[in-house]
């Protein structure tokens, strides 16, 4: 069974290995011991807080194989971004050049730097190790965050965003960044990417062009990747689109990957999730009634646990979730406790 839980200090080695495997462009997991330890420490403090509003918390989870104890993936939620360090995006808009005298009317795309998503919640740091990318594991890892957000909605903002990894080659070079580098910077994309991962964003305000950029002045290669995702990110984007996330013209400053957004209450998994008491039943009895795979979690914060299973069945008549003893043990649930679930 695969169980999602809050990260702990003991997971440092596993998190570092995931950071190494994630490669270029995955700025939320830099291969830096101090940064990774700080992320774990910040997450442990966030889960321990007793709060009722989104502040500067970071909820970092790991997905663990309960049989082997191996950490096979990670995912995270930032409660409110941009409150301590500015969060920058480009917004893709339009400007019109119009001259009635000359009978000219031209519409031009422009990129304007902004901080429009300040204070929003962000789902991020989604990575599943390659040997485990089969079945429903990836879908669960992406959607499991919404179980936690639904259960503890007071900890999150009304708008939720996700920054999607933009287009880059095998060496981590971004066509969009190459244009910026040529005209405004003198550092390679992997280095800029690494600095952002370390939280060093001062150079953004110092060196980024202050005025809107006319898209038609960019190189053809740079224009072609604006708002597009890395091939490996396409499945993650499709999952979020099914949840109701939309791209509204905001892109990353460095690789021009899209940022998508949704209202917390409109996210499908949150809207469709239910809370009810559990009944621990016989495995054979559950299997007779259960054809769906359910994602199920307990109601904890620091003790949060979630998993996905076919060994669970929702009894509409009694408004109870019948689960096996194995599932109950994985989620630290006892007879009569309440659980939240949705169909995966």
């Amino acid at each position: 069974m695969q169980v999602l839980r809050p990260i702990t200090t003991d997971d440092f080695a596993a998190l570092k290995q995931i950071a190494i495997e994630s490669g270029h462009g995955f700025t939320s997991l830099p291969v830096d011991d101090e940064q990774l330890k700080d992320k774990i420490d910040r997450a442990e403090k966030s889960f321990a807080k007793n709060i009722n509003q989104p502040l500067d918390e970071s909820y970092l989870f790991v997905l663990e194989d309960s049989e082997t104890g191996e950490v096979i993936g990670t995912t995270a939620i930032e409660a409110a971004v941009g409150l301590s360090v500015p969060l920058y995006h480009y917004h893709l808009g339009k400007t019109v050049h119009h001259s009635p005298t000359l009978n000219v009317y031209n519409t031009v795309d422009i990129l304007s730097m902004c901080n429009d998503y300040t204070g929003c919640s962000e789902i991020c740091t989604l990575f599943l190790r390659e040997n485990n990318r089969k079945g429903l594991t990836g879908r669960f890892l992406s959607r499991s965050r919404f179980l936690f957000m639904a259960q503890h909605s007071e900890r999150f903002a009304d708008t939720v965003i996700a920054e999607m990894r933009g287009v880059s080659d095998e060496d981590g070079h971004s066509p969009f960044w190459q244009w910026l580098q040529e005209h405004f910077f003198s550092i390679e994309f992997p280095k800029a990417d690494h600095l952002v991962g370390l939280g060093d964003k001062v150079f953004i305000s110092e060196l980024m062009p202050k005025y809107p950029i006319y898209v038609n002045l960019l190189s053809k290669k740079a224009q072609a990747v604006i708002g597009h995702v890395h091939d490996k990110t396409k499945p993650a984007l499709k999952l979020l689109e099914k949840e109701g996330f939309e791209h509204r013209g905001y892109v990353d400053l460095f690789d021009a990957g899209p940022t998508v957004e949704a209202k917390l209450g409109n996210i499908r998994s949150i809207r469709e999730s239910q809370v009810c008491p559990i009944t621990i039943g016989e495995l054979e009895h559950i299997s007779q009634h259960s054809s769906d795979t359910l994602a199920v979690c307990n109601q904890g914060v620091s003790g949060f646990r979630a998993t996905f299973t076919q060994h669970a069945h929702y009894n509409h008549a009694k408004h109870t979730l019948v689960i096996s003893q194995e599932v109950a043990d994985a989620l630290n649930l006892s007879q009569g406790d309440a659980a939240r679930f949705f169909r995966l």
Side-chain angles (χ1 to χ4, degrees), residues 139-188:
R139 184 182 301 182
F140 170 73
L141 188 59
S142 177
R143 296 180 67 187
S144 60
R145 297 172 289 197
F146 302 132
L147 284 169
F148 187 82
M149 297 180 84
Q151 188 60 47
H152 306 289
S153 59
E154 70 281 357
R155 290 174 176 256
F156 301 102
D158 183 51
T159 299
V160 183
I161 66 170
E163 295 183 318
M164 312 307 292
R165 185 175 177 180
V167 177
S168 60
D169 63 21
E170 293 179 357
D171 298 319
H173 294 111
S174 159
F176 186 77
W177 175 262
Q178 285 174 345
W179 183 87
L180 284 174
Q181 178 190 355
E182 180 182 345
H183 295 278
F184 300 98
F185 293 84
S186 58
I187 57 175
E188 297 286 337

